[in-house]
Amino acid sequence: MLIVMNMNAVPADIERVVEKARAAGLKATPIPGSQRTAIAITGNLGMVEPARFEALPGVLEVIQVSHPYKLVSREFKAEDTRVRVGDVEFGGSSLVVIAGPCAVESYEQTLSVAKKVQASGARILRGGAYKPRSSPYSFQGLELEGLEILARVREETGMPVVTEAIGTDVIDAVAEFSDMVQIGARNMQNYPLLRRAGKCGRPILLKRSFSASLTELLLAAEYILDQGNDQVVLCERGIRTFVDHNRATLDFSIIPAVEKISHLPLIVDPSHAAGDPAKVGPLARAAIAAGADGLMVEVHEQPAEALSDGRQALRPEEFDRLMSEVRRLAPVVGRSSEVLARS
Ligand code: PEP
Ligand code: MN
């Protein structure tokens, strides 16, 4: 950490900062400049709260030199983390595609769409049993019944399932019935939920909040790793910007940024960003080209009848076409499409 002093800071101001740092067991080294003094703070094992120094007289700015996260970083672990869900692995050479409806609506609907996306090459089934809806009057999900349906469909198809835990009150049930627990965009900064996710015994799919910076996303993941669970897949799903031609702006630039800083795998959800089936394919292809480890795509057999997010759902035949494109694209960007084979 670097503490930059005001031009008019007096020696007593500098001494006060140095004393405070030393009292906290840190090393403080003043670096006098031609106009102002900066003080280098070193020797800290964890993160030092900038606020401890910001309010002191004569302090202009506190600059953090090292990252506030540790366990998720490549400095801590250089090699890519592989996240296993059943016999599927994220973060290796193979791309992984998760597909299914936004919400579990019935056993028949879920089973039928699951068989179709599986035949097209999706390896993990998605479907919300607990839905975090913007309006309290919208369909909120079948809840426990939805979890039971997912478990039955897994039995029938052999597909592992991922479904969302919207609160600490339901995460144990979600973990019991599913193979991977999703933490949604709205809950990315629900810290008690993140801690529970770290202890739930399942791999986690952590979606980026629509207003989170990369640092905030990585800090959210850090909460999970800090509880002993390093099986975390990050998911970019679009952020809020001024553009009004999409539901959210898919931030492709986060793909190489995460790759550089973190060992965790990252997939892209083009559906929630597109908000329109016509845009899902182009966004999905671009995500693979930019280096994503996989995709999560919403698919519904009758989008017009869907109880949630029908406006962006691909029909199974559209999803099948997208999967053919992804299979062709994978080797171009050095990825294997082996696990995406039609079955
Ligand atoms: C979802 O995956 O259905 C969902 C609600 O996504 P998000 O949390 O990204 O809005
Ligand atoms: Mn949805």
Side-chain angles (χ1 to χ4, degrees):
M1 176 185 277
L2 198 65
I3 300 175
V4 182
M5 303 302 290
N6 269 319
M7 262 159 42
N8 55 6
V10 294
D13 294 334
I14 296 168
E15 197 46 39
R16 201 177 294 110
V17 172
V18 169
E19 274 312 307
K20 183 155 188 176
R22 289 187 182 151
L26 303 167
K27 190 166 172 231
T29 314
I31 311 164
S34 59
Q35 299 203 320
R36 60 177 90 242
T37 295
I39 304 166
I41 306 290
T42 51
N44 47 307
L45 293 175
M47 190 186 153
V48 180
E49 269 301 325
R52 283 165 69 173
F53 297 98
E54 270 161 359
L56 292 180
V59 171
L60 175 69
E61 197 184 359
V62 177
I63 301 169
Q64 277 188 289
V65 178
S66 55
H67 300 303
Y69 40 78
K70 185 175 79 177
L71 304 176
V72 298
S73 73
R74 282 211 189 267
E75 281 163 15
F76 183 76
K77 178 175 180 266
E79 68 278 12
D80 292 341
T81 287
R82 310 285 176 99
V83 175
R84 284 196 77 85
V85 180
D87 58 1
V88 181
E89 192 178 73
F90 293 86
S93 66
S94 279
L95 296 172
V96 178
V97 176
I98 302 172
C102 180
V104 174
E105 297 167 10
S106 69
Y107 173 67
E108 293 71 23
Q109 166 247 8
T110 309
L111 179 63
S112 176
V113 76
K115 284 182 172 165
K116 289 187 175 167
V117 298
Q118 184 178 37
S120 296
R123 286 291 163 265
I124 299 178
L125 174 67
R126 64 148 289 144
Y130 296 90
K131 292 305 304 174
R133 304 305 298 278
S134 301
S135 164
Y137 309 117
S138 301
F139 175 61
Q140 304 286 310
L142 296 180
E143 304 186 337
L144 195 55
E145 190 194 340
L147 293 181
E148 287 164 354
I149 290 172
L150 285 169
R152 281 172 65 201
V153 172
R154 171 183 46 203
E155 194 98 320
E156 192 76 21
T157 59
M159 281 180 103
V161 300
V162 57
T163 191
E164 181 166 351
I166 55 169
T168 51
D169 51 337
V170 300
I171 190 166
D172 289 339
V174 168
E176 185 188 330
F177 283 90
S178 67
D179 303 279
M180 183 180 215
V181 175
Q182 177 173 323
I183 303 293
R186 289 159 190 78
N187 267 314
M188 192 208 83
Q189 286 174 313
N190 180 339
Y191 301 116
L193 181 60
L194 295 172
R195 280 204 196 90
R196 290 287 295 278
K199 291 231 168 278
C200 76
R202 294 278 182 214
I204 306 297
L205 179 62
L206 177 64
K207 298 189 82 174
R208 180 187 183 185
S209 156
F210 13 78
S211 59
S213 65
L214 171 58
T215 301
E216 287 165 332
L217 172 64
L218 292 177
L219 282 171
E222 184 87 9
Y223 266 88
I224 302 171
L225 270 72
D226 183 49
Q227 296 297 309
N229 184 0
D230 77 340
Q231 294 290 284
V232 177
V233 176
L234 306 173
C235 179
E236 162 64 28
R237 46 79 71 213
I239 52 173
R240 287 233 167 112
T241 64
F242 53 84
V243 307
D244 57 4
H245 55 269
N246 282 316
R247 186 173 173 188
T249 300
L250 200 53
D251 176 16
F252 294 104
S253 70
I254 203 166
I255 300 170
V258 164
E259 168 76 28
K260 189 172 169 191
I261 299 176
S262 176
H263 52 83
L264 296 175
L266 178 129
I267 65 167
V268 167
D269 165 358
S271 302
H272 288 87
D276 169 357
K279 295 177 190 149
V280 171
L283 295 185
R285 296 193 301 266
I288 297 303
D293 292 300
L295 299 169
M296 178 155 83
V297 182
E298 287 190 345
V299 184
H300 199 284
E301 289 181 278
Q302 293 169 289
E305 308 303 320
L307 297 180
S308 162
D309 281 349
R311 66 182 173 144
Q312 69 207 20
L314 293 189
R315 293 170 196 280
E317 55 278 17
E318 293 168 325
F319 177 70
D320 192 62
R321 271 199 297 281
L322 171 59
M323 289 300 284
S324 305
E325 292 165 357
V326 171
R327 275 192 297 271
R328 269 186 286 149
L329 197 50
V332 178
V333 290
R335 307 300 290 249
S336 157
S337 59
E338 204 184 318
V339 303
L340 303 177
R342 278 205 173 89
S343 62

